[in-house]
Amino acid sequence: MNKLCIIVFLFPFFGMSQPMVVKETQGGIFSIGLRTTASSFSGDKLSSFGTGVGGQFRIQVADRINTEWFLDYITGEVGDFASRIDYHIGWSVMYYLTKSLDPIIKPYLVIGHCFDKTILIDNSDHRNHISKNSSAVQGGAGLHFRVSQRFDISLNTQYMMHLGDDIHAHYENARVHFESEKRKGVEGHFLMHIGLNYKIADLW
Amino acid sequence: MVKILIVICCIFSANTQAQQEVYIRSGLLASSLTFSPSLMLNQSGENAYLTGFFEGFFDKRISFRGEGNLLLGGMEKSGYYEKGFRTTAGMLLHANKKNLDAHIGLMPGLYIAELVKNRSSLGVNELSVVPVISFNIGGTFYMYEFAHLFINVTYTSTNYRTVYSNINGRADELMFSAGLGFNINAIKNK
């Protein structure tokens, strides 16, 4: 059992320490990574800057098309009386703007969809809260900075537009009130990610 | 006599140079457990952590590092945290010469903490899970096949959103750690 644990634990370092052999095309390259997120809400005047943490894996389908599957956990403020927690789980498609397969800087366009859960919490009484489940679409642009054949740092900016009902908080008569209502117009936010990605293998 | 000494020194030096093995290469695994004092940048007070990390080198320039910091307590009575555990993971970039290494890295993570009562909503203690981003810079000397000396400075950016109204939730920290670590090479030198 101990040997099995050691083998499982050390396997990534044996396997990934070797140069990656890319088969005919870059389709099939599988990578995993971690990212940190900054979020700025535009729909609610009281909402401000949020920060978060997340992870993603990528499966490249062709030389110029990659897919990214992600999970994010973001916390933010609503004025000084309430807080906001967002969970995002979704996917994006990236289209590379350069023909070169392995440049130092690789710009791309990105578009995708995600499911999200939003929770608003009263700062003075955490039992007073509201939550909603919805979905969103997002799009933007980004860059991969190649550090080595297997490792890149990615920077991207996207606008995420939430679909479905809206929830919001307001402060009235010395109390925090939460409301859910049909959305009027677009509610969304800018997201900026800095991600670290490591290519594991060329799967096909 | 002097000539003999010079010759002996030259032979010894050449012999030492020839035997000097470079441990920083793909497959190097390093780990340590140490105490880390930290300075709170937005709040008054200092904290002490028990820090453990595990690091694996994909090649001599890139490694994966996972780190855990268990809060042992505030060094002052007016502490900010009642309990806390921070876990981060990320990639480090290295510049090295023989067995001397310098690194810089970005490590996202989470802080699971309980604030002191006068910071919590309604004075009730409850655990919060807060996103963290940390930047790590440091140096290591791999002095032996199985041991190294290290020094690290870590800046962590944390913001407690759900603290009581009008109380600042920013809780950035500058953490220092140094000590003796252990390492092995999982891949034999070619």
Side-chain angles (χ1 to χ4, degrees), chain A residues 71-124:
Chain A
L71 174 69
D72 285 320
Y73 169 66
I74 302 165
T75 63
E77 293 148 7
V78 183
D80 62 352
F81 55 84
S83 307
R84 174 178 187 126
I85 297 171
D86 284 276
Y87 299 91
H88 296 153
I89 182 166
W91 59 277
S92 296
V93 177
M94 297 181 285
Y95 177 73
Y96 294 118
L97 298 174
T98 54
K99 282 185 182 172
S100 174
L101 296 179
D102 216 8
I104 290 174
I105 295 175
K106 199 169 186 179
Y108 60 88
L109 298 175
V110 60
I111 191 164
H113 169 263
C114 81
F115 295 102
D116 65 83
K117 182 180 181 73
T118 302
I119 305 168
L120 299 180
I121 304 164
D122 179 352
N123 283 352
S124 60

Short mmCIF file of all heavy atoms in Angstrom, two decimals, chain A residues 71-124:
data_model
loop_
_atom_site.label_atom_id
_atom_site.label_comp_id
_atom_site.label_asym_id
_atom_site.label_seq_id
_atom_site.Cartn_x
_atom_site.Cartn_y
_atom_site.Cartn_z
N LEU A 71 -13.26 26.06 -12.54
CA LEU A 71 -14.04 26.23 -11.31
C LEU A 71 -13.44 27.42 -10.57
O LEU A 71 -12.23 27.46 -10.35
CB LEU A 71 -13.94 24.96 -10.45
CG LEU A 71 -14.59 25.01 -9.07
CD1 LEU A 71 -16.11 25.08 -9.16
CD2 LEU A 71 -14.19 23.79 -8.25
N ASP A 72 -14.29 28.40 -10.19
CA ASP A 72 -13.80 29.59 -9.47
C ASP A 72 -14.61 29.82 -8.20
O ASP A 72 -15.81 29.54 -8.17
CB ASP A 72 -13.95 30.85 -10.34
CG ASP A 72 -12.93 30.93 -11.46
OD1 ASP A 72 -11.77 30.58 -11.20
OD2 ASP A 72 -13.30 31.34 -12.57
N TYR A 73 -13.96 30.35 -7.21
CA TYR A 73 -14.61 30.77 -5.95
C TYR A 73 -14.20 32.21 -5.71
O TYR A 73 -13.01 32.50 -5.55
CB TYR A 73 -14.13 29.84 -4.82
CG TYR A 73 -14.51 30.29 -3.43
CD1 TYR A 73 -15.84 30.33 -3.03
CD2 TYR A 73 -13.54 30.66 -2.50
CE1 TYR A 73 -16.19 30.72 -1.74
CE2 TYR A 73 -13.88 31.06 -1.21
CZ TYR A 73 -15.20 31.07 -0.84
OH TYR A 73 -15.55 31.47 0.43
N ILE A 74 -15.18 33.12 -5.74
CA ILE A 74 -14.87 34.56 -5.69
C ILE A 74 -15.65 35.21 -4.55
O ILE A 74 -16.85 34.95 -4.38
CB ILE A 74 -15.27 35.24 -7.03
CG1 ILE A 74 -14.52 34.58 -8.19
CG2 ILE A 74 -14.97 36.73 -7.01
CD1 ILE A 74 -15.08 34.92 -9.56
N THR A 75 -15.00 36.06 -3.77
CA THR A 75 -15.71 36.82 -2.75
C THR A 75 -15.60 38.32 -3.07
O THR A 75 -14.58 38.77 -3.56
CB THR A 75 -15.15 36.55 -1.34
OG1 THR A 75 -13.80 36.97 -1.28
CG2 THR A 75 -15.22 35.08 -0.98
N GLY A 76 -16.68 39.06 -2.77
CA GLY A 76 -16.69 40.49 -3.05
C GLY A 76 -17.56 41.23 -2.03
O GLY A 76 -18.15 40.63 -1.13
N GLU A 77 -17.62 42.53 -2.19
CA GLU A 77 -18.35 43.38 -1.24
C GLU A 77 -19.61 43.94 -1.87
O GLU A 77 -19.65 44.17 -3.07
CB GLU A 77 -17.47 44.55 -0.82
CG GLU A 77 -16.27 44.14 0.01
CD GLU A 77 -15.09 45.04 -0.24
OE1 GLU A 77 -15.23 46.05 -0.94
OE2 GLU A 77 -14.01 44.70 0.27
N VAL A 78 -20.63 44.21 -1.04
CA VAL A 78 -21.80 44.99 -1.46
C VAL A 78 -21.86 46.14 -0.45
O VAL A 78 -22.30 45.95 0.69
CB VAL A 78 -23.09 44.16 -1.40
CG1 VAL A 78 -24.27 44.98 -1.91
CG2 VAL A 78 -22.96 42.87 -2.18
N GLY A 79 -21.40 47.29 -0.86
CA GLY A 79 -21.27 48.41 0.08
C GLY A 79 -20.41 47.98 1.25
O GLY A 79 -19.46 47.21 1.09
N ASP A 80 -20.77 48.48 2.47
CA ASP A 80 -20.02 48.02 3.64
C ASP A 80 -20.92 47.21 4.57
O ASP A 80 -20.60 46.96 5.71
CB ASP A 80 -19.41 49.21 4.38
CG ASP A 80 -20.48 50.16 4.92
OD1 ASP A 80 -21.67 49.96 4.58
OD2 ASP A 80 -20.13 51.09 5.66
N PHE A 81 -22.10 46.81 4.04
CA PHE A 81 -23.05 46.11 4.91
C PHE A 81 -23.30 44.65 4.52
O PHE A 81 -23.88 43.90 5.28
CB PHE A 81 -24.39 46.88 4.95
CG PHE A 81 -24.99 47.11 3.59
CD1 PHE A 81 -25.76 46.14 2.98
CD2 PHE A 81 -24.78 48.32 2.93
CE1 PHE A 81 -26.32 46.36 1.74
CE2 PHE A 81 -25.33 48.54 1.68
CZ PHE A 81 -26.11 47.56 1.08
N ALA A 82 -22.90 44.29 3.31
CA ALA A 82 -23.13 42.90 2.88
C ALA A 82 -21.95 42.41 2.04
O ALA A 82 -21.10 43.19 1.61
CB ALA A 82 -24.43 42.81 2.07
N SER A 83 -21.93 41.11 1.84
CA SER A 83 -20.85 40.49 1.07
C SER A 83 -21.44 39.56 0.03
O SER A 83 -22.59 39.14 0.15
CB SER A 83 -19.93 39.69 1.98
OG SER A 83 -19.50 40.49 3.02
N ARG A 84 -20.62 39.25 -0.93
CA ARG A 84 -21.08 38.45 -2.05
C ARG A 84 -20.11 37.29 -2.27
O ARG A 84 -18.90 37.48 -2.27
CB ARG A 84 -21.14 39.35 -3.28
CG ARG A 84 -21.46 38.65 -4.55
CD ARG A 84 -21.55 39.62 -5.71
NE ARG A 84 -22.02 38.86 -6.85
CZ ARG A 84 -23.07 39.15 -7.59
NH1 ARG A 84 -23.75 40.24 -7.36
NH2 ARG A 84 -23.44 38.36 -8.58
N ILE A 85 -20.65 36.09 -2.45
CA ILE A 85 -19.82 34.94 -2.81
C ILE A 85 -20.33 34.39 -4.13
O ILE A 85 -21.55 34.21 -4.30
CB ILE A 85 -19.88 33.84 -1.72
CG1 ILE A 85 -19.32 34.36 -0.40
CG2 ILE A 85 -19.12 32.59 -2.16
CD1 ILE A 85 -19.53 33.42 0.77
N ASP A 86 -19.43 34.16 -5.07
CA ASP A 86 -19.80 33.59 -6.38
C ASP A 86 -19.03 32.31 -6.63
O ASP A 86 -17.81 32.28 -6.42
CB ASP A 86 -19.48 34.58 -7.51
CG ASP A 86 -20.48 35.72 -7.58
OD1 ASP A 86 -21.55 35.53 -8.20
OD2 ASP A 86 -20.19 36.77 -7.01
N TYR A 87 -19.73 31.29 -7.06
CA TYR A 87 -19.08 30.06 -7.52
C TYR A 87 -19.35 29.97 -9.02
O TYR A 87 -20.50 30.13 -9.44
CB TYR A 87 -19.68 28.82 -6.86
CG TYR A 87 -19.54 28.77 -5.36
CD1 TYR A 87 -20.53 29.30 -4.53
CD2 TYR A 87 -18.43 28.19 -4.77
CE1 TYR A 87 -20.42 29.25 -3.16
CE2 TYR A 87 -18.31 28.13 -3.39
CZ TYR A 87 -19.31 28.66 -2.59
OH TYR A 87 -19.18 28.62 -1.23
N HIS A 88 -18.33 29.72 -9.80
CA HIS A 88 -18.50 29.53 -11.25
C HIS A 88 -17.96 28.15 -11.63
O HIS A 88 -16.84 27.81 -11.24
CB HIS A 88 -17.70 30.56 -12.05
CG HIS A 88 -18.16 31.98 -11.85
ND1 HIS A 88 -17.33 33.06 -12.01
CD2 HIS A 88 -19.37 32.48 -11.52
CE1 HIS A 88 -18.01 34.17 -11.78
NE2 HIS A 88 -19.25 33.85 -11.48
N ILE A 89 -18.72 27.41 -12.40
CA ILE A 89 -18.19 26.18 -12.97
C ILE A 89 -18.60 26.18 -14.45
O ILE A 89 -19.78 26.36 -14.76
CB ILE A 89 -18.67 24.92 -12.22
CG1 ILE A 89 -18.05 23.66 -12.82
CG2 ILE A 89 -20.18 24.80 -12.14
CD1 ILE A 89 -18.17 22.43 -11.96
N GLY A 90 -17.65 26.07 -15.34
CA GLY A 90 -18.02 26.19 -16.75
C GLY A 90 -16.89 25.84 -17.70
O GLY A 90 -15.89 25.22 -17.31
N TRP A 91 -17.07 26.26 -18.92
CA TRP A 91 -16.11 25.93 -19.97
C TRP A 91 -15.98 27.10 -20.94
O TRP A 91 -16.90 27.92 -21.06
CB TRP A 91 -16.57 24.66 -20.70
CG TRP A 91 -17.92 24.81 -21.34
CD1 TRP A 91 -19.14 24.65 -20.71
CD2 TRP A 91 -18.21 25.18 -22.67
NE1 TRP A 91 -20.15 24.91 -21.58
CE2 TRP A 91 -19.62 25.22 -22.81
CE3 TRP A 91 -17.42 25.46 -23.78
CZ2 TRP A 91 -20.24 25.55 -24.00
CZ3 TRP A 91 -18.04 25.78 -24.98
CH2 TRP A 91 -19.44 25.82 -25.07
N SER A 92 -14.85 27.16 -21.59
CA SER A 92 -14.61 28.20 -22.60
C SER A 92 -13.89 27.59 -23.79
O SER A 92 -13.18 26.58 -23.66
CB SER A 92 -13.71 29.31 -22.04
OG SER A 92 -14.33 29.97 -20.99
N VAL A 93 -14.07 28.23 -24.94
CA VAL A 93 -13.33 27.84 -26.14
C VAL A 93 -12.37 28.98 -26.47
O VAL A 93 -12.77 30.14 -26.47
CB VAL A 93 -14.28 27.59 -27.32
CG1 VAL A 93 -13.49 27.27 -28.59
CG2 VAL A 93 -15.23 26.45 -27.01
N MET A 94 -11.11 28.63 -26.70
CA MET A 94 -10.12 29.65 -27.02
C MET A 94 -9.67 29.49 -28.48
O MET A 94 -9.41 28.37 -28.93
CB MET A 94 -8.90 29.50 -26.11
CG MET A 94 -9.24 29.71 -24.66
SD MET A 94 -7.81 29.57 -23.59
CE MET A 94 -7.59 27.84 -23.56
N TYR A 95 -9.61 30.62 -29.19
CA TYR A 95 -9.14 30.61 -30.58
C TYR A 95 -7.84 31.39 -30.63
O TYR A 95 -7.80 32.59 -30.31
CB TYR A 95 -10.19 31.24 -31.51
CG TYR A 95 -9.71 31.32 -32.93
CD1 TYR A 95 -9.64 30.18 -33.72
CD2 TYR A 95 -9.32 32.54 -33.49
CE1 TYR A 95 -9.17 30.24 -35.03
CE2 TYR A 95 -8.87 32.61 -34.79
CZ TYR A 95 -8.78 31.46 -35.56
OH TYR A 95 -8.32 31.52 -36.85
N TYR A 96 -6.75 30.71 -31.01
CA TYR A 96 -5.44 31.36 -31.05
C TYR A 96 -5.29 32.23 -32.30
O TYR A 96 -5.62 31.79 -33.41
CB TYR A 96 -4.32 30.32 -30.99
CG TYR A 96 -4.30 29.59 -29.67
CD1 TYR A 96 -4.51 28.22 -29.59
CD2 TYR A 96 -4.10 30.29 -28.48
CE1 TYR A 96 -4.52 27.56 -28.37
CE2 TYR A 96 -4.11 29.64 -27.26
CZ TYR A 96 -4.32 28.28 -27.21
OH TYR A 96 -4.33 27.65 -26.00
N LEU A 97 -4.78 33.44 -32.10
CA LEU A 97 -4.69 34.40 -33.20
C LEU A 97 -3.40 34.26 -34.00
O LEU A 97 -3.25 34.88 -35.03
CB LEU A 97 -4.80 35.84 -32.65
CG LEU A 97 -6.13 36.14 -31.94
CD1 LEU A 97 -6.09 37.53 -31.31
CD2 LEU A 97 -7.31 36.05 -32.90
N THR A 98 -2.45 33.47 -33.51
CA THR A 98 -1.19 33.29 -34.25
C THR A 98 -1.14 31.91 -34.88
O THR A 98 -1.64 30.94 -34.31
CB THR A 98 0.03 33.43 -33.31
OG1 THR A 98 -0.15 32.54 -32.22
CG2 THR A 98 0.18 34.84 -32.80
N LYS A 99 -0.51 31.85 -36.04
CA LYS A 99 -0.34 30.54 -36.70
C LYS A 99 0.81 29.77 -36.07
O LYS A 99 0.82 28.54 -36.08
CB LYS A 99 -0.08 30.74 -38.19
CG LYS A 99 -1.35 31.05 -38.96
CD LYS A 99 -1.07 31.12 -40.45
CE LYS A 99 -2.33 31.47 -41.21
NZ LYS A 99 -2.06 31.74 -42.63
N SER A 100 1.76 30.52 -35.53
CA SER A 100 2.92 29.89 -34.91
C SER A 100 2.44 29.01 -33.74
O SER A 100 1.60 29.43 -32.93
CB SER A 100 3.87 30.97 -34.42
OG SER A 100 4.91 30.40 -33.70
N LEU A 101 2.99 27.79 -33.65
CA LEU A 101 2.48 26.84 -32.66
C LEU A 101 3.02 27.07 -31.26
O LEU A 101 2.35 26.77 -30.28
CB LEU A 101 2.80 25.41 -33.11
CG LEU A 101 2.13 24.95 -34.41
CD1 LEU A 101 2.54 23.54 -34.75
CD2 LEU A 101 0.61 25.05 -34.31
N ASP A 102 4.24 27.58 -31.17
CA ASP A 102 4.84 27.69 -29.85
C ASP A 102 5.55 29.02 -29.64
O ASP A 102 6.74 29.06 -29.28
CB ASP A 102 5.82 26.52 -29.66
CG ASP A 102 5.80 26.01 -28.23
OD1 ASP A 102 4.95 26.46 -27.45
OD2 ASP A 102 6.67 25.17 -27.90
N PRO A 103 4.85 30.14 -29.88
CA PRO A 103 5.52 31.45 -29.71
C PRO A 103 5.66 31.80 -28.23
O PRO A 103 5.00 31.18 -27.38
CB PRO A 103 4.56 32.42 -30.39
CG PRO A 103 3.23 31.79 -30.21
CD PRO A 103 3.44 30.31 -30.23
N ILE A 104 6.48 32.78 -27.94
CA ILE A 104 6.65 33.19 -26.53
C ILE A 104 5.35 33.81 -26.00
O ILE A 104 4.92 33.55 -24.90
CB ILE A 104 7.84 34.16 -26.39
CG1 ILE A 104 9.13 33.37 -26.64
CG2 ILE A 104 7.88 34.80 -25.00
CD1 ILE A 104 10.37 34.19 -26.69
N ILE A 105 4.70 34.63 -26.84
CA ILE A 105 3.41 35.23 -26.45
C ILE A 105 2.35 34.74 -27.44
O ILE A 105 2.51 34.89 -28.66
CB ILE A 105 3.49 36.77 -26.44
CG1 ILE A 105 4.47 37.23 -25.37
CG2 ILE A 105 2.12 37.38 -26.18
CD1 ILE A 105 4.72 38.72 -25.33
N LYS A 106 1.30 34.13 -26.94
CA LYS A 106 0.27 33.56 -27.80
C LYS A 106 -1.07 34.21 -27.47
O LYS A 106 -1.71 33.86 -26.47
CB LYS A 106 0.22 32.05 -27.54
CG LYS A 106 -0.44 31.22 -28.60
CD LYS A 106 -0.16 29.74 -28.34
CE LYS A 106 -0.69 28.89 -29.46
NZ LYS A 106 -0.40 27.47 -29.23
N PRO A 107 -1.53 35.18 -28.27
CA PRO A 107 -2.81 35.84 -27.98
C PRO A 107 -4.01 34.98 -28.42
O PRO A 107 -3.89 34.20 -29.36
CB PRO A 107 -2.74 37.13 -28.80
CG PRO A 107 -1.77 36.85 -29.88
CD PRO A 107 -0.85 35.78 -29.43
N TYR A 108 -5.11 35.14 -27.74
CA TYR A 108 -6.30 34.36 -28.12
C TYR A 108 -7.59 35.10 -27.77
O TYR A 108 -7.60 36.00 -26.92
CB TYR A 108 -6.28 32.98 -27.44
CG TYR A 108 -6.27 33.00 -25.93
CD1 TYR A 108 -7.45 33.03 -25.20
CD2 TYR A 108 -5.06 32.98 -25.23
CE1 TYR A 108 -7.44 33.05 -23.81
CE2 TYR A 108 -5.04 33.00 -23.85
CZ TYR A 108 -6.23 33.03 -23.14
OH TYR A 108 -6.20 33.05 -21.77
N LEU A 109 -8.65 34.69 -28.44
CA LEU A 109 -10.00 35.15 -28.10
C LEU A 109 -10.66 34.00 -27.35
O LEU A 109 -10.38 32.84 -27.61
CB LEU A 109 -10.80 35.47 -29.36
CG LEU A 109 -10.25 36.60 -30.24
CD1 LEU A 109 -11.07 36.73 -31.52
CD2 LEU A 109 -10.25 37.92 -29.48
N VAL A 110 -11.55 34.34 -26.42
CA VAL A 110 -12.18 33.29 -25.62
C VAL A 110 -13.68 33.58 -25.48
O VAL A 110 -14.10 34.72 -25.36
CB VAL A 110 -11.48 33.18 -24.24
CG1 VAL A 110 -11.53 34.47 -23.46
CG2 VAL A 110 -12.04 32.04 -23.41
N ILE A 111 -14.46 32.52 -25.56
CA ILE A 111 -15.92 32.65 -25.35
C ILE A 111 -16.39 31.37 -24.68
O ILE A 111 -15.83 30.29 -24.90
CB ILE A 111 -16.63 32.91 -26.70
CG1 ILE A 111 -18.09 33.30 -26.46
CG2 ILE A 111 -16.54 31.73 -27.65
CD1 ILE A 111 -18.74 33.94 -27.67
N GLY A 112 -17.39 31.50 -23.80
CA GLY A 112 -17.83 30.29 -23.11
C GLY A 112 -19.09 30.47 -22.30
O GLY A 112 -19.78 31.50 -22.37
N HIS A 113 -19.37 29.46 -21.51
CA HIS A 113 -20.60 29.41 -20.74
C HIS A 113 -20.28 28.85 -19.36
O HIS A 113 -19.36 28.04 -19.21
CB HIS A 113 -21.62 28.49 -21.45
CG HIS A 113 -22.81 28.17 -20.61
ND1 HIS A 113 -22.91 27.00 -19.89
CD2 HIS A 113 -23.94 28.88 -20.37
CE1 HIS A 113 -24.07 27.00 -19.24
NE2 HIS A 113 -24.71 28.12 -19.51
N CYS A 114 -21.03 29.29 -18.34
CA CYS A 114 -20.83 28.67 -17.03
C CYS A 114 -22.12 28.65 -16.23
O CYS A 114 -23.06 29.38 -16.51
CB CYS A 114 -19.72 29.38 -16.25
SG CYS A 114 -20.20 30.88 -15.43
N PHE A 115 -22.15 27.76 -15.26
CA PHE A 115 -23.21 27.74 -14.26
C PHE A 115 -22.67 28.46 -13.04
O PHE A 115 -21.48 28.31 -12.71
CB PHE A 115 -23.60 26.30 -13.91
CG PHE A 115 -24.20 25.56 -15.07
CD1 PHE A 115 -23.45 24.66 -15.80
CD2 PHE A 115 -25.52 25.80 -15.44
CE1 PHE A 115 -23.99 24.00 -16.89
CE2 PHE A 115 -26.07 25.14 -16.53
CZ PHE A 115 -25.31 24.25 -17.26
N ASP A 116 -23.53 29.25 -12.39
CA ASP A 116 -23.02 29.96 -11.23
C ASP A 116 -24.00 29.95 -10.07
O ASP A 116 -25.21 29.81 -10.25
CB ASP A 116 -22.63 31.40 -11.60
CG ASP A 116 -23.81 32.24 -12.03
OD1 ASP A 116 -24.51 32.77 -11.16
OD2 ASP A 116 -24.02 32.35 -13.25
N LYS A 117 -23.43 30.09 -8.89
CA LYS A 117 -24.23 30.23 -7.66
C LYS A 117 -23.76 31.50 -6.98
O LYS A 117 -22.55 31.72 -6.82
CB LYS A 117 -24.00 29.02 -6.74
CG LYS A 117 -24.82 29.06 -5.45
CD LYS A 117 -24.54 27.85 -4.59
CE LYS A 117 -25.35 27.86 -3.31
NZ LYS A 117 -26.78 27.57 -3.52
N THR A 118 -24.72 32.36 -6.64
CA THR A 118 -24.39 33.62 -5.97
C THR A 118 -25.05 33.64 -4.60
O THR A 118 -26.23 33.29 -4.46
CB THR A 118 -24.89 34.82 -6.80
OG1 THR A 118 -24.28 34.76 -8.09
CG2 THR A 118 -24.53 36.15 -6.15
N ILE A 119 -24.30 34.04 -3.59
CA ILE A 119 -24.85 34.17 -2.24
C ILE A 119 -24.56 35.58 -1.74
O ILE A 119 -23.40 36.05 -1.82
CB ILE A 119 -24.21 33.15 -1.26
CG1 ILE A 119 -24.34 31.72 -1.80
CG2 ILE A 119 -24.85 33.24 0.12
CD1 ILE A 119 -23.49 30.70 -1.05
N LEU A 120 -25.59 36.28 -1.27
CA LEU A 120 -25.40 37.59 -0.63
C LEU A 120 -25.61 37.40 0.87
O LEU A 120 -26.58 36.77 1.29
CB LEU A 120 -26.40 38.61 -1.17
CG LEU A 120 -26.33 38.94 -2.67
CD1 LEU A 120 -27.40 39.98 -3.03
CD2 LEU A 120 -24.96 39.46 -3.06
N ILE A 121 -24.69 37.95 1.66
CA ILE A 121 -24.72 37.73 3.12
C ILE A 121 -24.68 39.07 3.84
O ILE A 121 -23.88 39.95 3.51
CB ILE A 121 -23.49 36.89 3.57
CG1 ILE A 121 -23.44 35.58 2.80
CG2 ILE A 121 -23.53 36.61 5.07
CD1 ILE A 121 -22.10 34.88 2.90
N ASP A 122 -25.55 39.21 4.85
CA ASP A 122 -25.53 40.38 5.72
C ASP A 122 -24.28 40.31 6.61
O ASP A 122 -24.09 39.33 7.33
CB ASP A 122 -26.82 40.34 6.56
CG ASP A 122 -26.93 41.49 7.54
OD1 ASP A 122 -25.95 42.24 7.69
OD2 ASP A 122 -28.00 41.62 8.17
N ASN A 123 -23.44 41.34 6.57
CA ASN A 123 -22.20 41.29 7.36
C ASN A 123 -22.44 41.27 8.86
O ASN A 123 -21.62 40.75 9.61
CB ASN A 123 -21.33 42.52 7.04
CG ASN A 123 -20.62 42.38 5.71
OD1 ASN A 123 -20.65 41.32 5.10
ND2 ASN A 123 -20.00 43.45 5.27
N SER A 124 -23.56 41.87 9.29
CA SER A 124 -23.78 41.95 10.73
C SER A 124 -24.54 40.73 11.26
O SER A 124 -24.64 40.54 12.46
CB SER A 124 -24.53 43.23 11.09
OG SER A 124 -25.77 43.23 10.42
#
